[in-house]
Amino acid sequence: MLNQTSVTEFLLLGVTDIQVLQPVLFVVFLAIYFLSLAGNGAILMVVISDPRLHSPMYFFLGNLSCLDICYSTVTLPKMLENLLSTHRAISFLGCMSQLHFFHFLGSTEAMLVPLMAFDRFVAICKPLRYTLIMNHQVCLQMAVTVWIFGFFHALLHSVMTSRLNFCGSNHIHHFFCDVKPLLKLACGDTELNQWLLNNVTGTFAMGSFFLILLSYFYIIIYLFFKTHSCSMLHKALSTCASHFIVVILLFGPIIFIYIRPASGSSMNQDWIVAIMYSVVTPVLNPLIYTLRNKEVKGALRRMIRRRL
């Protein structure tokens, strides 16, 4: 990942240059970070420790919580450090590493969510074959596959970005290293990088989103035409509703940031939306799943009682 460039470090300009706001934002984002770690960590612990949650649905939920913990950790600690520092430098290697892990974890999560939708489709529409289709080995293989695909998708972007020539300004108008802000600083032709971002990342995002919509379409059709139990209908729709909220929170900002034409993008809009999917979404995921899921809430209460 070496390039021919005169830039050895970048300066992350962050979310604001107003000095008075920086300590306030530090407290706000520190609280959000701790909430994300605590919420996702609690879900991960109960999924691992409670035998009642050893099912495909909660296996994927545990993966999602693990991804959210790592996802927040890639960007937030550096952002918090920069809010209290006057020198907001990040080394070239550190910048490329942050870019890589951000896209690795983000694209893995974008592919994991369709697996969760597929799991709900099989559980609701094929209940008699659920344990056969979604057995432990299949779930493990699917999870490993999306983690591997996510890693190589991110590697494509990090390698191609690191090969660009950065010969001018090293000021990144963002609070972390991402592809689009770096392309604005690069000298020379960035058309291939932009094409990869729009088409490869766009295909990942839109393909995943389409599969999720397809799964929910079949679930809704099945429930309305095959199910005559109001309680079963309510329970299934409640589970799917919490999942769909996560889908909107994840894919809405991704489509806004990465699939729009570069000419139509604004860096101020981009970092505001980036806060939504890199900071806010990881802390909302555990709240959505715990507030709307009786089994997770029950497992959390049992875990707390054991600790007391």
Side-chain angles (χ1 to χ4, degrees):
M1 290 172 54
L2 296 175
N3 74 334
Q4 302 298 318
T5 180
S6 59
V7 172
T8 59
E9 67 176 18
F10 295 99
L11 297 179
L12 294 166
L13 299 185
V15 294
T16 181
D17 56 359
I18 303 173
Q19 295 276 346
V20 179
L21 285 178
Q22 290 173 5
V24 177
L25 290 175
F26 175 84
V27 173
V28 170
F29 287 122
L30 182 63
I32 290 174
Y33 183 48
F34 280 137
L35 282 173
S36 177
L37 294 181
N40 286 293
I43 288 180
L44 196 56
M45 285 176 63
V46 297
V47 166
I48 293 171
S49 63
D50 196 318
R52 301 181 196 186
L53 300 185
H54 290 177
S55 66
M57 175 181 173
Y58 297 108
F59 170 73
F60 292 129
L61 178 58
N63 273 264
L64 180 66
S65 294
C66 181
L67 282 166
D68 280 337
I69 290 171
C70 299
Y71 200 42
S72 298
T73 304
V74 167
T75 57
L76 269 174
K78 186 64 179 175
M79 178 189 186
L80 292 169
E81 177 191 336
N82 289 342
L83 283 170
L84 297 181
S85 173
T86 55
H87 185 59
R88 302 173 178 179
I90 183 170
S91 68
F92 182 86
L93 182 60
C95 187
M96 292 303 120
S97 298
Q98 188 180 54
L99 183 154
H100 173 78
F101 283 102
F102 180 80
H103 280 271
F104 166 37
L105 297 164
S107 55
T108 301
E109 183 164 334
M111 290 183 288
L112 180 70
V113 176
L115 294 186
M116 298 174 74
F118 177 72
D119 170 70
R120 291 300 84 208
F121 162 73
V122 178
I124 294 169
C125 302
K126 310 281 185 183
L128 299 179
R129 301 182 59 196
Y130 180 69
T131 54
L132 178 64
I133 297 172
M134 301 299 292
N135 62 66
H136 177 72
Q137 185 177 359
V138 169
C139 291
L140 187 61
Q141 288 173 345
M142 288 194 294
V144 169
T145 299
V146 299
W147 281 81
I148 291 173
F149 267 91
F151 178 85
F152 282 104
H153 169 248
L155 190 64
L156 174 67
H157 286 301
S158 56
V159 169
M160 292 303 295
T161 304
S162 69
R163 293 174 64 87
L164 293 171
N165 186 25
F166 299 95
C167 56
S169 172
N170 67 340
H171 292 64
I172 299 176
H173 293 267
H174 215 326
F175 60 92
F176 68 93
C177 290
D178 199 4
V179 177
K180 284 183 75 173
L182 285 168
L183 292 184
K184 293 181 181 292
L185 302 182
C187 305
D189 185 19
T190 61
E191 188 175 339
L192 177 59
N193 299 74
Q194 193 66 55
W195 184 88
L196 289 171
L197 189 65
N198 291 338
N199 290 278
V200 177
T201 302
T203 300
F204 265 97
M206 295 307 296
S208 296
F209 190 60
F210 174 75
L211 290 173
I212 292 165
L213 292 181
L214 190 64
S215 296
Y216 283 123
F217 173 77
Y218 278 110
I219 288 171
I220 291 168
I221 294 296
Y222 177 86
L223 288 174
F224 278 106
F225 290 99
K226 298 289 185 180
T227 304
H228 304 289
S229 168
C230 290
S231 61
M232 182 180 174
L233 179 63
H234 179 267
K235 182 181 178 181
L237 288 176
S238 178
T239 302
C240 291
S242 63
H243 188 195
F244 199 69
I245 292 170
V246 173
V247 170
I248 297 300
L249 290 172
L250 177 64
F251 285 97
I254 288 175
I255 292 169
F256 183 85
I257 290 268
Y258 295 109
I259 302 179
R260 286 181 309 154
S263 59
S265 67
S266 160
M267 291 314 299
N268 287 332
Q269 286 180 334
D270 284 358
W271 72 252
I272 291 170
V273 177
I275 285 176
M276 189 63 202
Y277 67 80
S278 65
V279 177
V280 178
T281 301
V283 78
L284 287 180
N285 282 349
L287 289 175
I288 290 167
Y289 279 107
T290 53
L291 290 176
R292 299 184 62 88
N293 191 303
K294 292 180 181 179
E295 291 177 319
V296 174
K297 286 191 288 187
L300 284 169
R301 284 195 292 267
R302 289 192 294 272
M303 184 180 73
I304 293 169
R305 282 198 296 266
R306 287 197 300 269
R307 303 279 177 181
L308 295 177

